[in-house]
Amino acid sequence: MNETMQKNSDITILCKVVDNFGDIGFVYRLAKNLRKINPHYKIRLVVNDLNSFQKIAPEIKLNSAEQNFCGMKIFDSNAEEICKAEFLKNLPSVILECFQCGRPNWLDEILFASQSQEKICDKKSGESFSQKKSMDSDANSEKIFQIINIDYLTAEDYAEEFHCLKSATRSAFVKKVNFMPGFTAKTGGLILDEPFIANWCAHFEKKSEKEECENLACDKNIARRNISPAEFSAHARASLSQRILIFSYQKNFSPIIRAFQKICDKNLSQIQIFLAQGIGKESFFETYRKFCDSQKFDLSQIQFNELDFLSQENWDEMLLQMDALFVRGEDSLARACLCGKPFVWNAYPQKTTQDENYHLVKVRALLEKLRPHFLESEFAIIEKFWLSYNVNACDISSEKKLENACFEFLSQTHNLKRGFEKFSESLFALGNFSEKLNAFIQNLQN
C-alpha cells in the first residue's frame, strides 16, 4: 500500500435518514461500492435510523450502538457516549457528509475542540496536538480532518458549479469540499455498483424473451397480498399488458387510477400494479379501494400487489422487471435513470412564499437532461405527464389534465422506451461516481 493509500484509508460516512430510504439507500450503496473498489478502506458508517437501514439491509441489528456489517463498522449516531469514545480513540480522517445532513454534536466536539485542537489528545501518546507539534519538527504532524460534502442528486446547473468547490469551516484544521453526483461529465455521475450492473446485464441479455411475474390477481374485495422476491419468475407474459411499480409520496391518485382503467379498456388487457412500502402506499391503496367499492368503476383488469420490504439488491431486480416506474427518493431516482425503463419522478415537494411548487425547478432541470434522447413529439408526452404529476391535483380541471397525461404516457411506453434506454446509456458513459470519489480521496493532501 502506498503512502497516500495509508494516509486516506479511514473513511467515516454520515447519514441522517429524512426521506425513508432514499438517503440510507444511497449511502449504503456507496459504502459497499467504495469497499469493493478499495479493499483497504476502513469504513465507519454513522446513521441515525437503524430501523430504516434494516428495511433495505435485513442483517442490520436494531438497538445495537455498534456492529460489524459487510466489512464495515456501523454506528447508531444517537448513542453519543459510545460514538464519542470510539471516534476519540480512532480519530476520523476523511468524513463523507451526505446530503447536508450535518454532524452529530459529539463529532463536532471532536472536530472543533478548539481552534488549535489543544483539547484533542493524540490516540497513541496521549499528548495534545499542540504539544506534539512543539516536539515534532514536522509541521504537518497536526491532525487535519477532511470533510467531503456529498450533496443531493440534481440536474440543476449548480451541480457543475459546486462540484469540487471548497467550503470554509471555523477551523484551519477542518477542511471541507463539495462532491456532486449528477448527470454530466462535470459532476461525479451516478453510482454504478457491481450488483446493480450484474442485474442490468442479465435483464438486457434476455429482454427479447417473454418474461412475467406470477399471476397474482386481486379479487374485487381487494384482498391485499404481500409479494416477496421469490414470487417473481420468468414465465409466460402474454396475459399481462403492463407491470407498473408505484413508489410515491402521498398524493391524489384518483386521476392515475382512472388512467389505468382507460388503458385496460383500450387494450382489452391487464395492468399489474406493484405498490412499494413507504409513505405513499396507504394513500394509493385507499383511493384504489374507493374505486373498487364504487359501482361506477370496474377495475377487475387492474391487479394490485403490495410489496414486502425488499433488500437493496432485490429492489434493483424489481425495477428492472417493470414496464413503467413511478419513483421518488434519491436512490430510486438514480436507479430508474439507469434502468432504461419509462419512468416518472415524484420530486420531494418544496414550497416558497412565492411558489408553492418550487420543486418543479428540479423536475424541469431533469427533463432537460432527458430531452436530447427523444423526438420532440415523444418528449412532449413525457414533459406534460411529469409536470402534471408533480403538482397537487386539487380540482376537476387539474385531475383531468393529470389523467389524460398519464394515459398518454402509458399508451406510448413502448415507443418511449428507446429514448429512456439512450438516456441510461449516456449515464453509464459518464463512469462510476464511487470510482471518481475514490480517486478524489486518494489525491487529498491532508
Side-chain angles (χ1 to χ4, degrees):
M1 191 191 307
N2 63 37
E3 181 182 352
T4 305
M5 188 75 75
Q6 290 176 332
K7 184 167 59 176
N8 295 327
S9 62
D10 173 76
I11 306 293
T12 297
I13 308 179
L14 305 180
C15 177
K16 183 177 181 181
V17 178
V18 176
D19 177 21
N20 292 111
F21 314 111
D23 310 275
I24 187 60
F26 171 88
V27 169
Y28 177 40
R29 193 182 298 274
L30 175 63
K32 289 187 296 181
N33 201 210
L34 283 175
R35 277 270 306 162
K36 182 70 175 179
I37 292 168
N38 191 337
H40 298 298
Y41 279 145
K42 298 176 182 178
I43 294 178
R44 290 181 287 185
L45 176 52
V46 182
V47 61
N48 72 323
D49 185 352
L50 293 178
N51 185 61
S52 290
F53 194 179
Q54 188 193 57
K55 299 299 185 186
I56 63 171
E59 299 86 354
I60 288 292
K61 300 173 185 176
L62 301 179
N63 304 317
S64 180
E66 178 182 354
Q67 57 190 290
N68 295 314
F69 175 65
C70 287
M72 304 175 283
K73 283 190 175 182
I74 312 297
F75 291 89
D76 182 350
S77 63
N78 300 297
E80 296 187 12
E81 292 185 7
I82 292 175
C83 289
K84 190 172 183 178
E86 159 68 21
F87 282 82
L88 276 172
K89 180 181 177 182
N90 301 290
L91 292 171
S93 178
V94 176
I95 300 168
L96 306 184
E97 188 176 318
C98 298
F99 309 137
Q100 304 175 21
C101 65
R103 296 172 297 277
N105 291 334
W106 54 263
L107 182 57
D108 256 12
E109 288 179 19
I110 295 172
L111 301 183
F112 300 101
S114 75
Q115 289 297 316
S116 62
Q117 298 196 9
E118 291 178 352
K119 295 181 182 179
I120 300 180
C121 293
D122 181 85
K123 61 182 180 181
K124 294 181 179 179
S125 67
E127 299 165 333
S128 71
F129 282 108
S130 58
Q131 290 173 327
K132 184 176 180 180
K133 182 176 179 180
S134 65
M135 298 172 62
D136 194 331
S137 59
D138 183 5
N140 290 327
S141 63
E142 289 284 13
K143 177 68 176 179
I144 299 295
F145 302 108
Q146 179 67 62
I147 298 173
I148 301 175
N149 176 54
I150 299 177
D151 214 328
Y152 286 100
L153 176 63
T154 182
E156 295 170 272
D157 291 342
Y158 79 78
E160 293 186 350
E161 297 168 6
F162 278 36
H163 188 51
C164 297
L165 184 68
K166 293 181 180 179
S167 297
T169 73
R170 63 180 187 270
S171 171
F173 298 100
V174 181
K175 300 181 182 297
K176 189 171 184 178
V177 64
N178 297 296
F179 203 88
M180 305 291 292
F183 301 94
T184 70
K186 293 183 180 180
T187 66
L190 302 179
I191 298 174
L192 306 179
D193 54 309
E194 197 170 82
F196 175 81
I197 292 176
N199 269 328
W200 187 89
C201 290
H203 172 78
F204 279 93
E205 281 174 1
K206 55 189 178 184
K207 70 177 181 177
S208 60
E209 300 174 13
K210 291 197 172 181
E211 300 177 324
E212 164 192 317
C213 308
E214 252 180 59
N215 186 3
L216 301 167
C218 281
D219 61 26
K220 291 186 180 180
N221 294 322
I222 323 173
R224 291 203 280 179
R225 178 174 180 184
N226 283 16
I227 311 302
S228 69
E231 291 180 85
F232 276 92
S233 57
H235 297 308
R237 185 182 172 191
S239 63
L240 290 180
S241 172
Q242 284 180 304
R243 292 166 298 177
I244 299 173
L245 178 81
I246 305 290
F247 183 49
S248 175
Y249 294 111
Q250 293 174 318
K251 63 192 299 92
N252 177 7
F253 286 105
S254 296
I256 304 299
I257 293 176
R258 284 196 292 267
F260 289 167
Q261 182 190 28
K262 288 170 67 175
I263 289 290
C264 293
D265 291 343
K266 175 186 175 183
N267 297 332
L268 298 177
S269 58
Q270 296 177 335
I271 284 179
Q272 191 161 10
I273 298 168
F274 295 87
L275 184 60
Q277 298 289 333
I279 59 177
K281 180 192 71 174
E282 287 305 321
S283 62
F284 184 93
F285 176 70
E286 288 301 319
T287 305
Y288 181 83
R289 183 174 63 184
K290 289 177 183 177
F291 272 76
C292 288
D293 290 342
S294 172
Q295 299 297 318
K296 297 179 181 179
F297 300 96
D298 178 10
L299 301 185
S300 59
Q301 293 302 103
I302 300 177
Q303 300 179 4
F304 175 86
N305 308 290
E306 181 181 346
L307 296 170
D308 287 331
F309 280 105
L310 302 179
S311 69
Q312 191 168 74
E313 293 77 13
N314 286 328
W315 177 252
D316 292 348
E317 184 179 359
M318 172 76 70
L319 296 180
L320 286 162
Q321 293 189 53
M322 297 295 107
D323 296 302
L325 306 170
F326 289 60
V327 297
R328 66 167 176 88
E330 180 83 16
D331 191 55
S332 293
L333 169 61
R335 297 308 104 186
C337 290
L338 292 168
C339 275
K341 302 286 185 175
F343 75 95
V344 58
W345 173 44
N346 191 187
Y348 186 80
Q350 291 179 288
K351 295 182 180 181
T352 66
T353 52
Q354 295 81 22
D355 187 354
E356 66 175 10
N357 292 309
Y358 182 72
H359 53 281
L360 290 183
V361 172
K362 296 184 178 297
V363 175
R364 289 191 175 99
L366 183 51
L367 281 169
E368 289 307 308
K369 296 297 184 291
L370 284 164
R371 184 190 293 272
H373 306 286
F374 295 88
L375 299 175
E376 185 177 339
S377 59
E378 295 172 337
F379 181 75
I381 294 170
I382 299 167
E383 183 178 39
K384 181 165 44 172
F385 181 37
W386 278 45
L387 295 177
S388 298
Y389 188 66
N390 278 283
V391 298
N392 187 22
C394 55
D395 55 45
I396 294 176
S397 175
S398 56
E399 282 198 20
K400 194 63 178 178
K401 182 178 180 181
L402 176 54
E403 176 187 334
N404 292 337
C406 182
F407 172 75
E408 190 173 14
F409 178 84
L410 293 176
S411 297
Q412 295 295 321
T413 51
H414 181 74
N415 295 328
L416 299 174
K417 187 176 180 182
R418 182 53 192 150
F420 282 101
E421 289 177 348
K422 287 165 63 179
F423 178 54
S424 168
E425 291 164 6
S426 73
L427 299 176
F428 273 95
L430 297 177
N432 186 357
F433 175 91
S434 303
E435 291 181 351
K436 295 178 183 180
L437 178 60
N438 172 62
F440 184 81
I441 290 171
Q442 295 312 315
N443 287 326
L444 288 172
Q445 298 300 314
N446 284 358

